[in-house]
Amino acid sequence: MDTRDAVLATHQQEIRRGTVVVAVLALLRSPGYGYALLEALERSGIEVDANTLYPLLRRLEKQGLLTSDWDTEGGRPRKYLQTSPEGKQLLARLVDEWNRLNASLTSIVEGHEEDA
Amino acid sequence: MHSLVERYIAVATRHLPEGSRTDAARDIRVMIDEMVEARIVAGEDPDVAATALLNELGDPSVLARTFEDQPRYLIGPRHYDQYISLMKVLLTWIPLTAFLALLAINVLTDDRSLVDSFVQGGLDAAWTGVVVASQIIFWVTLTFAIMEWAERSGTEPEPADQWSISDLPAELPQRQIGLGEAAWGIGMMVLTGAMLVIQHIRGIEAFVRNDSVRETLDGHVVPFLNPDIPTWIAVATFGLVLFTAVAEMVKFAVGSWTLPVTIAEIASAIGFVVLPALAISRWGLVNPEIHDIWANDTTKWLTGNRFEQIFLLAMIVISVLSIYEAVRGYFDYRRRSSETPIPGEDFVFIV
């Protein structure tokens, strides 16, 4: 049943893809650095690989949704990231979308047609 | 600190665009440093941690691509189907035609035994087929890659909300220009280009195996075209051949007689009359030595300007026909899409 597992994995990945962005923008409302974020995501039950997360952080930063600061005190310099005001606005919209989708899906899965 | 990490980052960012290389390198370094640190904190040996991590991260250039959104294809989905079908037709018919034609010439004009000339001529023709095939692969791929690149770096596509129902063509879009037509056009250009080169480098000996002619030639290279024709005419002719071949590919990709396609077709047709006419009027098209050869043969009637006249007349007829077809195709295309303005006249870059 290898192919079934592969199919499942593909669909799971499709569902998860956008959720990481929401989680990242939400967690980084207070500043944090990459690895700490990775651990926080893991603790919250969101599985993401380092080589997915770091490129994602870079893209979000380029889109102006995250701001970065270098902390050069002590040991090696660390790159701290924080959700920008623009990122917070986007986060609010995404959370709305998430809630809407969740409600729709719940009602569809439970078999009640939603009257919008 | 870790020369291994330095090397990994250098390899990873080597192929990234200049502008974002240092930036991407810094971000990749942050990731590696933080991951290594975490491993050490977790109790791993500092010397082993970096090696183990880099092993896990895998091929550096693959990693780098996830850090930089660069298209990872040469020919995108928009042209993929046309690219493949054009390639299939061209690679089937042109090398095969070249092979068979050359084999026939080799066998018919060779005075050695039939088996010998079949083997030798077959090998010769097969090699030519391979060379022709690789030329086709190269030029077709290059043309499509440039089209892809031009569209990518051109203006942003119109946002979807600017589209309205009236943008739909009045009738279902029908291909005006088929694969066969494009393949024929490109094939002719490949053949013309090859003939021009061969007649110059190897002389008419490459085409004629008649014994008496070979004796007359006595081993020295006699080009068919007049060597006095200046280089710029030759360069212009090659340019025209290349332009026409590319225009044929674009024409096939677009599929209709849009204005740029029509203009390119007309320009090419005019070029194929003007260049030979210029050469004939100023220097003579055919090498004077060829006239000597013709004079000694049953081909006496070709001497004087007779060959040039016939050739030019043929070129004029062909050109007029193709201009007629292009103009007719253009008006047909206009008529079909007359209900709505012609959408954007795509492939702006060709004009």
Side-chain angles (χ1 to χ4, degrees):
Chain A
M1 287 283 101
D2 276 348
T3 51
R4 286 233 163 261
D5 288 348
V7 170
L8 174 68
T10 318
H11 287 296
Q12 276 178 335
Q13 201 187 5
E14 290 290 323
I15 285 190
R16 286 174 187 163
R17 187 163 287 151
T19 61
V20 179
V21 174
V22 179
V24 165
L25 290 176
L27 284 170
L28 286 179
R29 281 176 296 185
S30 50
Y33 63 96
Y35 194 77
L37 184 65
L38 194 72
E39 285 184 315
L41 286 168
E42 214 164 86
R43 276 199 304 276
S44 319
I46 296 195
E47 290 171 38
V48 55
D49 280 342
N51 44 11
T52 306
L53 181 67
Y54 283 89
L56 173 68
L57 293 176
R58 179 174 165 80
R59 275 197 295 280
L60 294 178
E61 192 187 342
K62 276 191 166 177
Q63 290 170 353
L65 303 173
L66 297 178
T67 55
S68 69
D69 251 320
W70 288 89
D71 178 13
T72 45
E73 280 172 34
R76 74 164 48 100
R78 226 184 243 303
K79 188 181 189 178
Y80 276 92
L81 295 157
Q82 187 169 13
T83 307
S84 70
E86 201 189 331
K88 283 178 187 159
Q89 278 177 20
L90 187 99
L91 174 65
R93 300 283 296 273
L94 290 180
V95 170
D96 283 349
E97 180 67 16
W98 172 259
N99 288 333
R100 202 186 60 73
L101 278 174
N102 191 31
S104 307
L105 279 178
T106 309
S107 109
I108 290 172
V109 171
E110 288 173 0
H112 307 293
E113 282 298 328
E114 195 180 37
D115 301 324
Chain B
M1 174 179 160
H2 296 291
S3 70
L4 195 62
V5 173
E6 302 286 350
R7 264 151 54 208
Y8 187 90
I9 294 173
V11 173
T13 54
R14 194 166 47 188
H15 298 300
L16 293 183
E18 198 89 29
S20 57
R21 197 178 300 158
T22 23
D23 203 37
R26 215 180 45 191
D27 277 353
I28 295 174
R29 163 165 292 280
V30 166
M31 162 171 154
I32 292 175
D33 284 349
E34 288 181 3
M35 300 289 289
V36 169
E37 195 184 298
R39 278 168 174 265
I40 294 171
V41 170
E44 213 168 293
D45 185 341
D47 293 332
V48 183
T51 318
L53 174 73
L54 295 186
N55 252 325
E56 250 171 51
L57 289 179
D59 188 340
S61 43
V62 174
L63 178 83
R65 283 194 220 114
T66 62
F67 273 81
E68 207 50 57
D69 293 325
Q70 283 282 306
R72 281 141 73 187
Y73 53 81
L74 205 57
I75 292 150
R78 184 169 168 182
H79 296 304
Y80 179 79
D81 288 339
Q82 286 139 348
Y83 171 73
I84 292 295
S85 46
L86 184 61
M87 199 67 113
K88 271 185 192 159
V89 172
L90 292 180
L91 284 181
T92 311
W93 292 107
I94 300 182
L96 190 69
T97 313
F99 171 78
L100 291 176
L102 211 62
L103 181 65
I105 292 173
N106 285 347
V107 171
L108 292 176
T109 58
D110 204 334
D111 345 310
R112 283 173 298 182
S113 79
L114 196 62
V115 176
D116 271 2
S117 52
F118 247 108
V119 171
Q120 195 52 45
L123 286 175
D124 193 28
W127 176 244
T128 307
V130 172
V131 172
V132 167
S134 39
Q135 289 286 335
I136 292 170
I137 292 172
F138 175 77
W139 290 107
V140 173
T141 307
L142 182 70
T143 309
F144 274 82
I146 289 175
M147 286 198 319
E148 186 72 43
W149 173 83
E151 280 167 40
R152 197 157 55 218
S153 55
T155 47
E156 292 273 311
E158 303 248 304
D161 57 0
Q162 285 191 6
W163 187 88
S164 82
I165 199 77
S166 63
D167 288 340
L168 281 177
E171 289 171 47
L172 280 182
Q174 277 177 308
R175 276 201 90 79
Q176 288 181 294
I177 297 154
L179 190 53
E181 190 180 338
W184 168 254
I186 296 165
M188 287 307 288
M189 287 309 112
V190 171
L191 205 63
T192 309
M195 296 289 254
L196 285 173
V197 175
I198 293 171
Q199 67 83 25
H200 185 75
I201 294 174
R202 288 185 55 198
I204 56 162
E205 199 192 340
F207 305 101
V208 179
R209 305 231 165 151
N210 183 303
D211 274 342
S212 62
V213 173
R214 292 184 142 229
E215 271 166 36
T216 322
L217 292 174
D218 198 21
H220 82 276
V221 175
V222 179
F224 181 76
L225 297 178
N226 191 349
D228 291 340
I229 297 172
T231 314
W232 69 266
I233 293 266
V235 172
T237 308
F238 271 109
L240 182 62
V241 166
L242 193 63
F243 169 80
T244 308
V246 170
E248 288 291 333
M249 286 182 228
V250 174
K251 187 167 99 178
F252 172 66
V254 175
S256 306
W257 289 101
T258 58
L259 189 60
V261 166
T262 310
I263 291 173
E265 181 84 8
I266 294 173
S268 154
I270 292 173
F272 275 110
V273 171
V274 167
L275 283 176
L278 197 64
I280 289 168
S281 64
R282 304 274 299 271
W283 304 276
L285 189 65
V286 178
N287 191 346
E289 285 188 61
I290 300 284
H291 284 294
D292 297 343
I293 293 171
W294 279 339
N296 295 333
D297 215 330
T298 48
T299 46
K300 208 172 282 179
W301 62 280
L302 280 169
T303 53
N305 277 333
R306 192 64 55 78
F307 176 84
E308 271 111 335
Q309 285 163 356
I310 295 171
F311 178 77
L312 194 59
L313 187 68
M315 293 309 283
I316 290 173
V317 169
I318 292 171
S319 292
V320 166
L321 284 178
S322 61
I323 290 174
Y324 170 73
E325 201 204 329
V327 171
R328 206 188 52 165
Y330 174 67
F331 282 110
D332 193 34
Y333 171 71
R334 283 289 297 266
R335 188 182 52 75
R336 284 187 202 198
S337 41
S338 58
E339 303 291 302
T340 52
I342 299 163
E345 297 278 15
D346 31 358
F347 289 86
V348 179
F349 67 93
I350 196 177
V351 239

Short mmCIF file of all heavy atoms in Angstrom, two decimals, chain A residues 45-94:
data_model
loop_
_atom_site.label_atom_id
_atom_site.label_comp_id
_atom_site.label_asym_id
_atom_site.label_seq_id
_atom_site.Cartn_x
_atom_site.Cartn_y
_atom_site.Cartn_z
N GLY A 45 2.72 21.11 17.59
CA GLY A 45 2.20 20.03 16.76
C GLY A 45 2.19 20.34 15.27
O GLY A 45 1.51 19.69 14.50
N ILE A 46 2.94 21.38 14.87
CA ILE A 46 3.02 21.69 13.44
C ILE A 46 4.36 21.19 12.93
O ILE A 46 5.41 21.70 13.29
CB ILE A 46 2.85 23.19 13.18
CG1 ILE A 46 1.43 23.57 13.61
CG2 ILE A 46 3.11 23.52 11.72
CD1 ILE A 46 0.95 24.88 13.12
N GLU A 47 4.29 20.16 12.09
CA GLU A 47 5.53 19.56 11.60
C GLU A 47 6.04 20.35 10.41
O GLU A 47 5.32 20.55 9.45
CB GLU A 47 5.28 18.12 11.15
CG GLU A 47 4.99 17.16 12.28
CD GLU A 47 4.53 15.82 11.73
OE1 GLU A 47 5.08 15.39 10.70
OE2 GLU A 47 3.61 15.24 12.32
N VAL A 48 7.27 20.80 10.51
CA VAL A 48 7.88 21.47 9.36
C VAL A 48 9.38 21.23 9.40
O VAL A 48 9.99 21.21 10.46
CB VAL A 48 7.53 22.98 9.35
CG1 VAL A 48 7.91 23.66 10.64
CG2 VAL A 48 8.14 23.69 8.17
N ASP A 49 9.94 20.98 8.22
CA ASP A 49 11.37 20.74 8.12
C ASP A 49 12.13 22.06 8.16
O ASP A 49 11.60 23.09 7.73
CB ASP A 49 11.70 20.08 6.78
CG ASP A 49 11.43 18.59 6.82
OD1 ASP A 49 11.33 18.05 7.95
OD2 ASP A 49 11.29 17.99 5.75
N ALA A 50 13.36 21.98 8.67
CA ALA A 50 14.19 23.18 8.68
C ALA A 50 14.37 23.73 7.28
O ALA A 50 14.28 24.93 7.05
CB ALA A 50 15.55 22.87 9.31
N ASN A 51 14.59 22.83 6.31
CA ASN A 51 14.84 23.35 4.97
C ASN A 51 13.56 23.75 4.23
O ASN A 51 13.59 24.10 3.06
CB ASN A 51 15.72 22.42 4.12
CG ASN A 51 15.31 20.98 4.23
OD1 ASN A 51 14.24 20.68 4.78
ND2 ASN A 51 16.14 20.09 3.74
N THR A 52 12.43 23.68 4.92
CA THR A 52 11.22 24.33 4.42
C THR A 52 11.03 25.66 5.14
O THR A 52 10.68 26.67 4.53
CB THR A 52 9.98 23.44 4.67
OG1 THR A 52 10.22 22.16 4.12
CG2 THR A 52 8.75 24.05 4.05
N LEU A 53 11.27 25.63 6.47
CA LEU A 53 10.99 26.81 7.29
C LEU A 53 11.91 27.98 6.94
O LEU A 53 11.44 29.10 6.73
CB LEU A 53 11.12 26.46 8.77
CG LEU A 53 10.83 27.64 9.70
CD1 LEU A 53 9.39 28.06 9.62
CD2 LEU A 53 11.23 27.32 11.14
N TYR A 54 13.22 27.72 6.87
CA TYR A 54 14.15 28.84 6.65
C TYR A 54 13.92 29.55 5.30
O TYR A 54 13.88 30.78 5.27
CB TYR A 54 15.59 28.37 6.81
CG TYR A 54 16.00 28.20 8.27
CD1 TYR A 54 15.81 27.00 8.93
CD2 TYR A 54 16.57 29.26 8.98
CE1 TYR A 54 16.17 26.84 10.25
CE2 TYR A 54 16.93 29.10 10.31
CZ TYR A 54 16.73 27.90 10.95
OH TYR A 54 17.09 27.76 12.26
N PRO A 55 13.75 28.78 4.22
CA PRO A 55 13.42 29.49 2.97
C PRO A 55 12.10 30.25 3.06
O PRO A 55 11.97 31.34 2.50
CB PRO A 55 13.30 28.35 1.95
CG PRO A 55 14.13 27.26 2.51
CD PRO A 55 13.98 27.35 3.99
N LEU A 56 11.13 29.70 3.82
CA LEU A 56 9.85 30.38 3.98
C LEU A 56 10.05 31.72 4.70
O LEU A 56 9.49 32.75 4.30
CB LEU A 56 8.88 29.50 4.77
CG LEU A 56 7.55 30.15 5.15
CD1 LEU A 56 6.71 30.41 3.92
CD2 LEU A 56 6.78 29.29 6.14
N LEU A 57 10.87 31.68 5.76
CA LEU A 57 11.15 32.92 6.51
C LEU A 57 11.74 33.97 5.58
O LEU A 57 11.40 35.15 5.63
CB LEU A 57 12.11 32.65 7.67
CG LEU A 57 11.54 31.76 8.79
CD1 LEU A 57 12.62 31.47 9.83
CD2 LEU A 57 10.33 32.41 9.43
N ARG A 58 12.65 33.51 4.72
CA ARG A 58 13.29 34.44 3.78
C ARG A 58 12.26 35.06 2.83
O ARG A 58 12.28 36.28 2.58
CB ARG A 58 14.36 33.69 2.99
CG ARG A 58 15.08 34.52 1.96
CD ARG A 58 16.22 33.70 1.36
NE ARG A 58 16.72 34.32 0.15
CZ ARG A 58 17.56 35.34 0.12
NH1 ARG A 58 17.96 35.88 1.25
NH2 ARG A 58 17.98 35.84 -1.02
N ARG A 59 11.34 34.22 2.33
CA ARG A 59 10.32 34.75 1.42
C ARG A 59 9.41 35.75 2.13
O ARG A 59 9.10 36.81 1.59
CB ARG A 59 9.47 33.61 0.85
CG ARG A 59 10.08 32.96 -0.38
CD ARG A 59 9.05 32.16 -1.15
NE ARG A 59 8.55 31.02 -0.39
CZ ARG A 59 9.20 29.86 -0.28
NH1 ARG A 59 10.37 29.70 -0.88
NH2 ARG A 59 8.69 28.87 0.42
N LEU A 60 8.99 35.40 3.36
CA LEU A 60 8.10 36.30 4.10
C LEU A 60 8.79 37.63 4.38
O LEU A 60 8.17 38.69 4.34
CB LEU A 60 7.65 35.64 5.41
CG LEU A 60 6.75 34.40 5.26
CD1 LEU A 60 6.42 33.81 6.62
CD2 LEU A 60 5.48 34.75 4.52
N GLU A 61 10.10 37.54 4.65
CA GLU A 61 10.85 38.77 4.91
C GLU A 61 10.91 39.63 3.64
O GLU A 61 10.71 40.84 3.67
CB GLU A 61 12.26 38.42 5.40
CG GLU A 61 13.01 39.61 5.96
CD GLU A 61 14.46 39.28 6.28
OE1 GLU A 61 14.80 38.08 6.38
OE2 GLU A 61 15.26 40.22 6.42
N LYS A 62 11.14 38.96 2.51
CA LYS A 62 11.20 39.68 1.24
C LYS A 62 9.86 40.32 0.89
O LYS A 62 9.80 41.36 0.24
CB LYS A 62 11.61 38.74 0.10
CG LYS A 62 13.11 38.56 -0.02
CD LYS A 62 13.43 37.84 -1.31
CE LYS A 62 14.90 37.93 -1.64
NZ LYS A 62 15.22 37.18 -2.85
N GLN A 63 8.77 39.68 1.32
CA GLN A 63 7.44 40.22 1.06
C GLN A 63 7.07 41.30 2.06
O GLN A 63 5.96 41.84 2.00
CB GLN A 63 6.40 39.09 1.10
CG GLN A 63 6.52 38.13 -0.06
CD GLN A 63 5.66 36.89 0.12
OE1 GLN A 63 5.06 36.68 1.17
NE2 GLN A 63 5.61 36.05 -0.91
N GLY A 64 7.97 41.59 2.98
CA GLY A 64 7.72 42.66 3.95
C GLY A 64 6.79 42.25 5.07
O GLY A 64 6.30 43.11 5.81
N LEU A 65 6.54 40.95 5.22
CA LEU A 65 5.64 40.49 6.28
C LEU A 65 6.40 40.25 7.58
O LEU A 65 5.81 40.20 8.66
CB LEU A 65 4.92 39.21 5.84
CG LEU A 65 4.12 39.36 4.54
CD1 LEU A 65 3.57 38.02 4.07
CD2 LEU A 65 2.98 40.36 4.71
N LEU A 66 7.72 40.08 7.45
CA LEU A 66 8.58 39.94 8.63
C LEU A 66 9.66 41.01 8.57
O LEU A 66 10.09 41.39 7.48
CB LEU A 66 9.26 38.56 8.66
CG LEU A 66 8.38 37.32 8.77
CD1 LEU A 66 9.27 36.07 8.73
CD2 LEU A 66 7.59 37.34 10.07
N THR A 67 10.08 41.48 9.74
CA THR A 67 11.26 42.36 9.78
C THR A 67 12.35 41.62 10.52
O THR A 67 12.07 40.72 11.32
CB THR A 67 10.95 43.67 10.53
OG1 THR A 67 10.44 43.33 11.82
CG2 THR A 67 9.93 44.50 9.78
N SER A 68 13.60 41.97 10.21
CA SER A 68 14.69 41.25 10.87
C SER A 68 15.63 42.21 11.57
O SER A 68 15.76 43.37 11.19
CB SER A 68 15.45 40.42 9.84
OG SER A 68 16.15 41.26 8.97
N ASP A 69 16.28 41.67 12.59
CA ASP A 69 17.25 42.43 13.37
C ASP A 69 18.39 41.50 13.74
O ASP A 69 18.16 40.37 14.13
CB ASP A 69 16.59 42.92 14.67
CG ASP A 69 16.39 44.42 14.65
OD1 ASP A 69 17.30 45.12 14.16
OD2 ASP A 69 15.32 44.87 15.12
N TRP A 70 19.62 42.03 13.58
CA TRP A 70 20.76 41.20 13.98
C TRP A 70 21.14 41.52 15.41
O TRP A 70 21.37 42.67 15.75
CB TRP A 70 21.94 41.42 13.04
CG TRP A 70 21.70 40.82 11.70
CD1 TRP A 70 21.11 41.41 10.63
CD2 TRP A 70 22.03 39.50 11.29
NE1 TRP A 70 21.03 40.55 9.57
CE2 TRP A 70 21.60 39.36 9.96
CE3 TRP A 70 22.63 38.41 11.91
CZ2 TRP A 70 21.76 38.18 9.23
CZ3 TRP A 70 22.80 37.24 11.20
CH2 TRP A 70 22.36 37.12 9.87
N ASP A 71 21.18 40.47 16.25
CA ASP A 71 21.65 40.64 17.62
C ASP A 71 23.09 40.16 17.66
O ASP A 71 23.36 38.97 17.53
CB ASP A 71 20.78 39.82 18.57
CG ASP A 71 21.27 39.95 20.00
OD1 ASP A 71 22.10 40.85 20.25
OD2 ASP A 71 20.84 39.14 20.85
N THR A 72 24.01 41.15 17.81
CA THR A 72 25.43 40.77 17.74
C THR A 72 26.03 40.57 19.12
O THR A 72 27.22 40.27 19.25
CB THR A 72 26.23 41.85 16.99
OG1 THR A 72 25.83 43.13 17.46
CG2 THR A 72 25.97 41.75 15.50
N GLU A 73 25.22 40.74 20.15
CA GLU A 73 25.76 40.57 21.50
C GLU A 73 25.95 39.10 21.82
O GLU A 73 25.08 38.28 21.57
CB GLU A 73 24.81 41.21 22.53
CG GLU A 73 24.97 42.72 22.61
CD GLU A 73 23.89 43.34 23.48
OE1 GLU A 73 23.48 42.69 24.46
OE2 GLU A 73 23.45 44.45 23.16
N GLY A 74 27.13 38.81 22.40
CA GLY A 74 27.38 37.46 22.90
C GLY A 74 27.46 36.43 21.80
O GLY A 74 26.55 36.30 21.01
N GLY A 75 28.56 35.70 21.74
CA GLY A 75 28.72 34.57 20.82
C GLY A 75 28.52 34.95 19.37
O GLY A 75 28.99 35.99 18.91
N ARG A 76 27.80 34.15 18.65
CA ARG A 76 27.62 34.42 17.23
C ARG A 76 26.38 35.29 17.03
O ARG A 76 25.44 35.25 17.81
CB ARG A 76 27.50 33.12 16.45
CG ARG A 76 26.19 32.39 16.59
CD ARG A 76 26.09 31.37 15.46
NE ARG A 76 27.32 30.59 15.35
CZ ARG A 76 27.47 29.36 15.84
NH1 ARG A 76 26.48 28.79 16.48
NH2 ARG A 76 28.58 28.69 15.69
N PRO A 77 26.42 36.10 15.96
CA PRO A 77 25.27 36.98 15.70
C PRO A 77 24.02 36.14 15.40
O PRO A 77 24.09 35.10 14.75
CB PRO A 77 25.70 37.77 14.47
CG PRO A 77 26.82 37.01 13.87
CD PRO A 77 27.48 36.28 14.98
N ARG A 78 22.90 36.61 15.89
CA ARG A 78 21.66 35.89 15.70
C ARG A 78 20.68 36.78 14.95
O ARG A 78 20.60 37.98 15.19
CB ARG A 78 21.08 35.54 17.06
CG ARG A 78 20.62 34.10 17.14
CD ARG A 78 19.98 33.85 18.46
NE ARG A 78 20.68 32.88 19.29
CZ ARG A 78 20.95 31.64 18.93
NH1 ARG A 78 20.64 31.20 17.74
NH2 ARG A 78 21.55 30.81 19.76
N LYS A 79 19.90 36.18 14.05
CA LYS A 79 18.95 36.97 13.28
C LYS A 79 17.57 36.82 13.92
O LYS A 79 16.99 35.73 13.92
CB LYS A 79 18.91 36.46 11.84
CG LYS A 79 18.09 37.32 10.91
CD LYS A 79 18.09 36.74 9.51
CE LYS A 79 17.47 37.70 8.51
NZ LYS A 79 17.51 37.16 7.16
N TYR A 80 17.10 37.94 14.49
CA TYR A 80 15.78 37.91 15.11
C TYR A 80 14.73 38.41 14.13
O TYR A 80 14.92 39.41 13.47
CB TYR A 80 15.76 38.78 16.38
CG TYR A 80 16.27 38.02 17.58
CD1 TYR A 80 17.61 38.07 17.93
CD2 TYR A 80 15.41 37.23 18.34
CE1 TYR A 80 18.09 37.35 19.00
CE2 TYR A 80 15.87 36.51 19.43
CZ TYR A 80 17.21 36.56 19.76
OH TYR A 80 17.67 35.85 20.80
N LEU A 81 13.63 37.69 14.06
CA LEU A 81 12.56 38.05 13.14
C LEU A 81 11.31 38.42 13.92
O LEU A 81 11.07 37.89 15.00
CB LEU A 81 12.25 36.86 12.23
CG LEU A 81 13.37 36.45 11.29
CD1 LEU A 81 13.22 35.01 10.86
CD2 LEU A 81 13.40 37.36 10.07
N GLN A 82 10.55 39.34 13.34
CA GLN A 82 9.30 39.73 13.98
C GLN A 82 8.27 40.06 12.91
O GLN A 82 8.60 40.61 11.85
CB GLN A 82 9.54 40.95 14.87
CG GLN A 82 8.32 41.31 15.70
CD GLN A 82 8.64 42.35 16.76
OE1 GLN A 82 9.70 42.97 16.73
NE2 GLN A 82 7.72 42.54 17.70
N THR A 83 7.02 39.74 13.20
CA THR A 83 5.95 40.03 12.25
C THR A 83 5.78 41.55 12.13
O THR A 83 5.64 42.24 13.14
CB THR A 83 4.64 39.39 12.70
OG1 THR A 83 4.86 38.00 12.94
CG2 THR A 83 3.56 39.54 11.64
N SER A 84 5.80 42.05 10.90
CA SER A 84 5.66 43.49 10.67
C SER A 84 4.19 43.88 10.80
O SER A 84 3.32 43.01 10.81
CB SER A 84 6.16 43.82 9.27
OG SER A 84 5.25 43.29 8.33
N PRO A 85 3.89 45.19 10.93
CA PRO A 85 2.48 45.61 10.97
C PRO A 85 1.70 45.07 9.78
O PRO A 85 0.57 44.59 9.92
CB PRO A 85 2.57 47.14 10.91
CG PRO A 85 3.91 47.46 11.48
CD PRO A 85 4.81 46.32 11.12
N GLU A 86 2.33 45.11 8.60
CA GLU A 86 1.69 44.56 7.41
C GLU A 86 1.42 43.06 7.57
O GLU A 86 0.36 42.55 7.18
CB GLU A 86 2.62 44.80 6.21
CG GLU A 86 1.93 44.77 4.89
CD GLU A 86 2.96 44.80 3.75
OE1 GLU A 86 4.06 45.38 3.95
OE2 GLU A 86 2.66 44.26 2.68
N GLY A 87 2.41 42.38 8.17
CA GLY A 87 2.26 40.95 8.42
C GLY A 87 1.12 40.67 9.37
O GLY A 87 0.40 39.66 9.23
N LYS A 88 0.96 41.55 10.37
CA LYS A 88 -0.13 41.35 11.35
C LYS A 88 -1.49 41.50 10.67
O LYS A 88 -2.42 40.73 10.93
CB LYS A 88 0.01 42.33 12.51
CG LYS A 88 1.10 41.91 13.48
CD LYS A 88 1.30 42.91 14.60
CE LYS A 88 2.51 42.50 15.42
NZ LYS A 88 3.05 43.62 16.19
N GLN A 89 -1.58 42.50 9.79
CA GLN A 89 -2.84 42.68 9.03
C GLN A 89 -3.16 41.43 8.22
O GLN A 89 -4.29 40.94 8.22
CB GLN A 89 -2.72 43.86 8.09
CG GLN A 89 -2.96 45.20 8.75
CD GLN A 89 -2.74 46.35 7.77
OE1 GLN A 89 -2.79 46.15 6.56
NE2 GLN A 89 -2.51 47.53 8.31
N LEU A 90 -2.10 40.96 7.52
CA LEU A 90 -2.30 39.76 6.69
C LEU A 90 -2.71 38.58 7.55
O LEU A 90 -3.58 37.78 7.18
CB LEU A 90 -1.01 39.46 5.94
CG LEU A 90 -1.16 38.34 4.91
CD1 LEU A 90 -1.34 38.93 3.53
CD2 LEU A 90 0.04 37.42 4.92
N LEU A 91 -2.06 38.46 8.72
CA LEU A 91 -2.37 37.36 9.64
C LEU A 91 -3.85 37.37 10.00
O LEU A 91 -4.52 36.33 9.97
CB LEU A 91 -1.51 37.48 10.90
CG LEU A 91 -1.83 36.49 12.02
CD1 LEU A 91 -1.53 35.06 11.57
CD2 LEU A 91 -1.05 36.81 13.29
N ALA A 92 -4.36 38.58 10.34
CA ALA A 92 -5.78 38.68 10.72
C ALA A 92 -6.68 38.16 9.60
O ALA A 92 -7.62 37.40 9.83
CB ALA A 92 -6.11 40.12 11.07
N ARG A 93 -6.32 38.56 8.36
CA ARG A 93 -7.12 38.12 7.21
C ARG A 93 -7.05 36.60 7.04
O ARG A 93 -8.05 35.94 6.77
CB ARG A 93 -6.60 38.78 5.92
CG ARG A 93 -6.67 40.30 5.92
CD ARG A 93 -8.08 40.80 5.68
NE ARG A 93 -8.55 40.42 4.36
CZ ARG A 93 -8.34 41.14 3.26
NH1 ARG A 93 -7.68 42.29 3.34
NH2 ARG A 93 -8.79 40.74 2.09
N LEU A 94 -5.83 36.07 7.23
CA LEU A 94 -5.65 34.63 7.04
C LEU A 94 -6.40 33.86 8.12
O LEU A 94 -6.97 32.79 7.85
CB LEU A 94 -4.16 34.27 7.05
CG LEU A 94 -3.35 34.73 5.85
CD1 LEU A 94 -1.89 34.30 6.00
CD2 LEU A 94 -3.91 34.16 4.55
#
